[in-house]
């Protein structure tokens, strides 16, 4: 099911986070700087695994809003704001 961020997530139960599985070309997630394989450890300041997949999808469909993702990559954390915008 599509959202408005262009990000496909999968759960990583070992890391207790969401993994970026894929990014749509020219998507808000890709333009914001996310990379395939990034580990999303927090969403809007809350631990990522507090959010179920359906909740993630709903949040990623809030047109005009955004997601603030704390991403772990290369041994450090980076905060990335992903705008949520309808791409029609």
């Amino acid at each position: 099911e599509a959202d408005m961020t262009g990000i496909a997530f999968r759960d990583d139960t070992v890391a207790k986070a969401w993994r970026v599985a894929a990014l749509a070309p020219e998507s808000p997630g890709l333009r914001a700087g996310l990379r395939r394989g990034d580990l999303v450890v927090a969403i809007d300041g809350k631990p990522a695994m507090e959010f179920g997949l359906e909740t993630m999808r709903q949040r990623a469909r809030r047109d005009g809003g955004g997601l603030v993702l704390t991403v772990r990559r290369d041994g450090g954390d980076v905060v990335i704001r992903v705008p949520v915008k309808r791409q029609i």
Side-chain angles (χ1 to χ4, degrees):
E1 188 172 325
D3 62 38
M4 290 185 263
T5 62
I7 309 165
F9 295 99
R10 68 175 173 80
D11 64 337
D12 186 323
T13 54
V14 174
K16 297 184 180 175
W18 290 101
R19 178 97 41 200
V20 175
L23 292 155
E26 301 301 316
S27 66
L30 185 66
R31 287 193 304 269
L34 285 172
R35 301 177 192 162
R36 186 172 184 254
D38 277 347
L39 195 61
V40 179
V41 295
I43 301 158
D44 295 334
K46 296 182 181 175
M49 293 308 281
E50 286 186 11
F51 297 88
L53 186 54
E54 187 55 37
T55 301
M56 285 288 297
R57 288 180 176 154
Q58 289 171 358
R59 294 174 75 86
R61 288 193 294 255
R62 298 180 302 181
D63 192 18
L67 296 172
V68 178
L69 305 178
T70 303
V71 174
R72 185 159 296 144
R73 73 164 72 125
D74 301 326
D77 290 352
V78 62
V79 175
I80 297 175
R81 185 181 185 287
V82 179
V84 178
K85 185 171 181 169
R86 189 171 302 277
Q87 305 285 310
I88 299 179

